[in-house]
């Protein structure tokens, strides 16, 4: 990373060499490039989802009776059952559910772009690889047992995981099969080029589609059964261990470390979340549970990157870093962290690994103490993941102290990140660090 990084210790002896090796893995680079290419689209789709949550949700913070109650005002004073039976309520619900399709769309677009990257990497025919990926998605959606609303919720949790799984499986299988000479058909001379390519790889395409169909049916069968990973985890672990502060901190560590690798940590840890923290959330909301660590608790900790943005904006010596921080500030307030992760970049950046892991882990423990000492209420209410920072904490706890907790977290995160930002200033005063980190290593 440059001559100024030779400052010894664990960073120089361990983290930087590992980061160098990881940056040379072409598969991780393909995933990172896909995120970067789709970043504007991801922002737009997330904002559309946020509009559905804030403006179109008849039970949401603006229209619902537990929020500002604008829905009752717009329907001429209708309340309770009369409001829920109104045409206004039904139309808002329809629009909200319609905008939830962004969950599936974001996952599909990611899989398609990643398929193109992987097809180029593994020397597969790009158009036919795309056909395999799209077909796999359709097989999976068709095999899904629930309704359209349940399907969008399913993709909101597993979207990235499914995109990674489907695009990798279908592209790798097709690319491997298409390189086998015995599976390549002899093409009749004189056919159009496009038809000749399809006929040549007809058998690899057929086998890949059949394998994708069987994989989709098998996956959905497992998801519905007691053999699903969340069910197995819940039976083996019970509920006490995941509710311990040590387990919660470890969960947050894994989630953030996956993001540092350039992988969607929320989606890849969804099975643990579904086994323990989503049921805890539902128990708090519906059955008067008293669980500290819930799905909404961990969603609230996403405020940590906002602390880094503020620290960079105040203390960074490079003007380009301050501008980048200010550009990403609105998206971070809207709980959209991906632009900052990949643009700064934080992904595979050894200089930011320690504070990036330390800040959210400390947030988890501080949040545990605040709830354990009854300073902050439990996270009892389910809130859309696209809810803005501070509003999310307020709504999830039903109390302004939830927002105060996020503000405390933010203050701690600024304190944690600031020394590292100052170190950046010392290490990069003669180097164009941002360009160096962003450059692909051979």
């Amino acid at each position: 990373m440059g001559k100024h990084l030779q400052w010894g210790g664990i960073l120089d002896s361990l983290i930087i060499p590992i980061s160098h090796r990881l940056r040379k893995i072409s598969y991780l680079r393909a995933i990172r490039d896909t995120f970067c290419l789709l970043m504007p689209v991801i922002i737009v789709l997330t904002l559309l989802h946020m509009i559905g949550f804030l403006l179109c949700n008849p039970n949401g913070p603006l229209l619902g009776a537990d929020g500002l109650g604008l829905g009752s005002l717009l329907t001429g004073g209708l309340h309770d059952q009369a409001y829920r039976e109104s045409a206004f309520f039904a139309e808002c619900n329809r629009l909200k559910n319609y905008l939830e399709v962004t969950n599936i769309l974001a996952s599909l677009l990611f899989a398609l772009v990643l398929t193109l990257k992987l097809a180029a990497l593994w020397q597969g025919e790009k158009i036919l690889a795309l056909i395999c990926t799209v077909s796999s998605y359709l097989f999976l959606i068709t095999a899904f047992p629930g309704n359209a609303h349940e399907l969008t919720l399913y993709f909101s949790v597993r979207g990235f995981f499914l995109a990674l799984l489907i695009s990798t499986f279908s592209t790798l299988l097709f690319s491997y099969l298409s390189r086998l000479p015995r599976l390549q058909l002899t093409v009749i001379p004189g056919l159009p080029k496009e038809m000749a390519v399809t006929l040549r790889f007809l058998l690899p395409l057929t086998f890949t589609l059949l394998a994708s169909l069987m994989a989709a049916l098998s996956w959905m069968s497992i998801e519905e059964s007691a053999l699903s990973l969340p069910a197995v985890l819940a039976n083996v672990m019970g509920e006490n261990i995941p509710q311990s502060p040590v387990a919660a901190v470890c969960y947050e560590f894994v989630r953030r470390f996956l993001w540092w690798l350039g992988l969607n940590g929320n989606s890849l840890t969804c099975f643990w979340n579904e086994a323990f923290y989503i049921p805890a959330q539902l128990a708090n909301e519906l059955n008067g549970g008293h669980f500290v660590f819930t799905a909404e608790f961990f969603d609230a900790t996403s405020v940590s990157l906002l602390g880094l943005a503020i620290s960079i904006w105040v203390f960074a010596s490079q003007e380009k870093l301050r501008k980048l921080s200010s550009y990403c500030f609105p998206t971070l307030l809207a709980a959209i962290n991906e632009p900052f992760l990949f643009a700064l970049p934080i992904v595979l950046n050894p200089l930011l690994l320690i504070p990036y892991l330390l800040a959210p882990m400390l947030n988890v423990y501080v949040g545990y103490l605040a709830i354990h000492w009854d300073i902050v209420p439990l996270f009892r209410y389910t809130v859309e993941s696209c809810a803005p920072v501070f509003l999310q904490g307020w709504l999830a706890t039903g109390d302004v102290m939830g927002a105060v907790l996020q503000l405390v977290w933010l203050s701690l995160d600024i304190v944690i990140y600031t020394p590292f930002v100052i170190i950046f200033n010392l290490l990069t005063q003669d180097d164009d660090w941002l360009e160096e980190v962003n450059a692909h290593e051979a």
Side-chain angles (χ1 to χ4, degrees):
M1 297 290 293
K3 60 182 180 180
H4 295 292
L5 296 186
Q6 307 302 317
W7 46 289
I10 188 172
L11 183 64
D12 187 46
S13 61
L14 180 62
I15 297 178
I16 290 178
I18 290 176
S19 178
H20 274 288
R21 294 187 182 95
L22 290 173
R23 290 178 67 85
K24 293 179 180 179
I25 299 176
S26 53
Y27 180 71
L28 289 179
R29 188 162 62 244
I31 296 174
R32 188 167 67 249
D33 292 346
T34 301
F35 263 116
C36 293
L37 184 62
L38 284 178
M39 197 57 62
V41 179
I42 292 174
I43 293 174
V44 171
L45 293 177
T46 305
L47 290 176
L48 287 175
H49 194 181
M50 186 179 296
I51 289 173
F53 166 67
L54 292 176
L55 302 182
C56 302
N57 186 359
N59 292 317
L62 294 181
L63 300 179
D66 294 331
L68 295 180
L70 296 181
S72 176
L73 181 64
L74 294 174
T75 54
L78 295 179
H79 295 283
D80 301 328
Q81 189 65 23
Y83 172 65
R84 290 190 291 271
E85 293 177 352
S86 67
F88 175 83
F89 187 94
E91 184 64 19
C92 286
N93 246 340
R94 187 184 70 83
L95 290 174
K96 179 181 72 70
N97 293 337
Y98 179 76
L99 290 176
E100 284 179 351
V101 77
T102 54
N103 294 327
I104 301 177
L105 185 57
S107 177
L108 177 59
L109 290 176
F110 188 91
L112 294 179
V113 176
L114 182 58
T115 295
L116 292 175
K117 298 288 185 181
L118 295 179
L121 176 64
W122 295 329
Q123 300 177 348
E125 211 289 323
K126 292 182 179 181
I127 299 301
L128 296 182
L130 284 176
I131 291 175
C132 293
T133 295
V134 172
S135 301
S136 300
Y137 258 85
L138 293 178
F139 291 150
L140 188 69
I141 291 173
T142 304
F144 187 78
N147 57 36
H149 177 64
E150 292 170 338
L151 179 65
T152 57
L153 292 179
Y154 180 77
F155 270 87
S156 69
V157 177
R158 283 180 168 79
F160 173 81
F161 172 78
L162 293 173
L164 198 65
L165 182 66
I166 291 173
S167 57
T168 302
F169 172 78
S170 61
T171 308
L172 181 61
L173 180 60
F174 174 74
S175 299
Y176 172 75
L177 294 177
S178 62
R179 289 196 298 270
L180 299 178
R182 68 183 67 180
L183 294 183
Q184 296 181 15
L185 299 179
T186 302
V187 179
I188 301 175
L191 289 178
K193 180 181 178 181
E194 289 76 10
M195 184 181 296
V197 171
T198 304
L199 287 176
R200 180 185 175 191
F201 297 118
L202 181 61
L203 289 179
L205 180 64
T206 301
F207 291 147
T208 302
L209 292 180
L210 289 175
S212 298
L213 174 60
M214 290 186 292
L217 294 175
S218 300
W219 176 260
M220 281 304 165
S221 297
I222 293 174
E223 286 277 73
E224 290 185 87
S225 71
L227 297 176
S228 66
L229 188 53
V232 172
L233 288 171
N235 290 332
V236 172
M237 301 289 293
E239 64 181 29
N240 292 328
I241 293 178
Q243 284 298 317
S244 68
V246 174
V249 169
C250 290
Y251 168 74
E252 188 70 353
F253 170 84
V254 172
R255 204 162 63 113
R256 300 297 175 156
F257 185 71
L258 287 171
W259 272 115
W260 183 78
L261 292 175
L263 306 172
N264 189 316
N266 297 341
S267 188
L268 294 181
T269 57
C270 65
F271 301 102
W272 185 272
N273 193 36
E274 288 183 5
F276 304 112
Y277 299 133
I278 290 179
Q281 184 69 50
L282 294 176
N284 282 2
E285 184 172 359
L286 302 176
N287 303 322
H290 295 84
F291 293 104
V292 173
F293 299 114
T294 67
E296 293 300 330
F297 177 95
F298 288 103
D299 281 349
T301 61
S302 63
V303 72
S304 62
L305 277 184
L306 186 59
L308 174 58
I310 294 174
S311 182
I312 287 177
W313 187 68
V314 174
F315 296 102
S317 60
Q318 293 191 27
E319 181 65 22
K320 70 181 78 175
L321 293 182
R322 292 199 299 272
K323 286 184 177 180
L324 178 62
S325 175
S326 61
Y327 291 155
C328 292
F329 196 77
T331 63
L332 291 170
L333 282 175
I336 306 174
N337 294 326
E338 289 87 347
F340 201 52
L341 275 167
F342 290 89
L344 184 55
I346 295 172
V347 173
L348 291 178
N349 183 347
L351 300 179
L352 290 174
L353 175 60
I354 294 176
Y356 177 68
L357 295 177
L358 180 61
M361 291 166 65
L362 181 61
N363 286 351
V364 169
Y365 192 71
V366 170
Y368 164 76
L369 293 178
I371 295 174
H372 183 70
W373 293 337
D374 294 326
I375 300 174
V376 177
L378 293 169
F379 284 75
R380 291 194 175 277
Y381 306 104
T382 301
V383 182
E384 289 283 349
S385 59
C386 60
V389 172
F390 304 125
L391 179 62
Q392 191 272 343
W394 191 335
L395 294 176
T397 59
D399 193 289
V400 69
M401 290 304 296
V404 173
L405 175 61
Q406 287 191 297
L407 183 60
V408 171
W409 282 341
L410 177 61
S411 302
L412 291 174
D413 296 337
I414 294 173
V415 172
I416 292 172
Y417 276 115
T418 295
F420 289 87
V421 173
I422 294 173
I423 291 173
F424 296 161
N425 295 335
L426 298 175
L427 296 177
T428 62
Q429 56 186 350
D430 296 327
D431 292 340
D432 195 346
W433 171 76
L434 193 58
E435 292 183 5
E436 185 180 348
V437 172
N438 273 311
H440 291 311
E441 296 182 21

